[in-house]
């Protein structure tokens, strides 16, 4: 029934349009109600196909947006991890620098202590030599 109403409406539109045949548009005047119906059905089919394609495209866009948001969240987490790792490396670098300074100070103190020890040993040996010289050396002369 709806198709019959549709055909009648299409036929009355074609009949009441007042279009005259012209060499530019010969097909327009030669269309029958069956041709119009087929054309409308074809257009309806194209519209349904296009609508389905648009829905599928919208679904793909939504999925892509969801995936993008997920990736963005993961990247945010990875950035935080990298920043934390960088902070840890900075702390480790500071600790290593402090350790290097301490080792240099210890090395300097060790060298100074060795020099002082060598000086004390030299003075003691010189003192022992003087004592032996005065104790045994003066009697021989």
């Amino acid at each position: 029934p709806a198709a019959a109403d549709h055909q009648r409406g299409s036929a009355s539109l074609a009949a009441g349009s007042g279009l005259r045949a012209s060499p530019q548009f010969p097909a327009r005047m030669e269309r029958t109600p069956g041709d119009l119906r087929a054309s409308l059905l074809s257009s309806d089919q194209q519209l349904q196909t296009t609508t389905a394609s648009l829905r599928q495209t919208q679904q793909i866009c939504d999925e892509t947006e969801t995936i993008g948001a997920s990736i963005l969240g993961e990247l945010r987490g990875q950035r935080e991890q990298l920043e934390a790792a960088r902070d840890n490396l900075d702390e480790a670098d500071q600790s290593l620098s402090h350790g290097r300074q301490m080792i240099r100070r210890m090395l300097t103190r060790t060298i100074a202590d060795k020099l002082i020890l060598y000086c004390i040993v030299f003075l003691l040996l010189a003192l022992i030599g003087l004592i032996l010289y005065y104790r045994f050396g003066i009697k021989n002369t």
Side-chain angles (χ1 to χ4, degrees), residues 3-141:
D5 290 339
H6 183 69
Q7 278 183 348
R8 271 185 256 135
S10 298
S12 65
L13 282 176
S17 65
L19 293 176
R20 295 189 176 135
S22 71
Q24 287 179 316
F25 305 109
R28 237 182 186 187
M29 291 303 292
E30 294 175 10
R31 285 190 175 175
T32 64
D35 290 341
L36 287 174
R37 183 173 191 272
S39 175
L40 288 174
L41 288 174
S42 173
S43 295
D44 187 48
Q45 181 66 25
Q46 287 177 348
L47 180 63
Q48 288 176 0
T49 303
T50 304
T51 303
S53 176
L54 284 173
R55 283 189 186 130
Q56 183 180 10
T57 302
Q58 182 64 40
Q59 182 181 3
I60 291 170
C61 286
D62 291 343
E63 290 173 4
T64 303
E65 186 177 351
T66 302
I67 291 169
S70 172
I71 289 172
L72 187 62
E74 289 176 20
L75 288 173
R76 187 175 297 121
Q78 289 177 358
R79 182 187 68 213
E80 291 171 0
Q81 287 177 346
L82 288 172
E83 287 173 351
R86 184 186 60 207
D87 292 343
N88 288 340
L89 284 175
D90 289 342
E91 288 178 22
D93 186 43
Q94 289 175 357
S95 295
L96 286 172
S97 295
H98 183 69
R100 254 187 246 113
Q101 289 174 354
M102 287 181 64
I103 288 173
R104 283 186 193 132
R105 279 185 273 168
M106 289 171 59
L107 182 62
T108 304
R109 283 185 184 172
T110 303
I111 291 171
D113 288 347
K114 282 185 179 183
L115 285 174
I116 291 170
L117 183 63
Y118 289 144
C119 288
I120 290 173
V121 169
F122 178 73
L123 287 175
L124 286 175
L125 287 175
L127 189 60
I128 290 172
L130 282 173
I131 291 173
L132 288 176
Y133 176 72
Y134 285 117
R135 178 102 167 136
F136 299 110
I138 296 180
K139 291 183 181 179
N140 289 343
T141 344

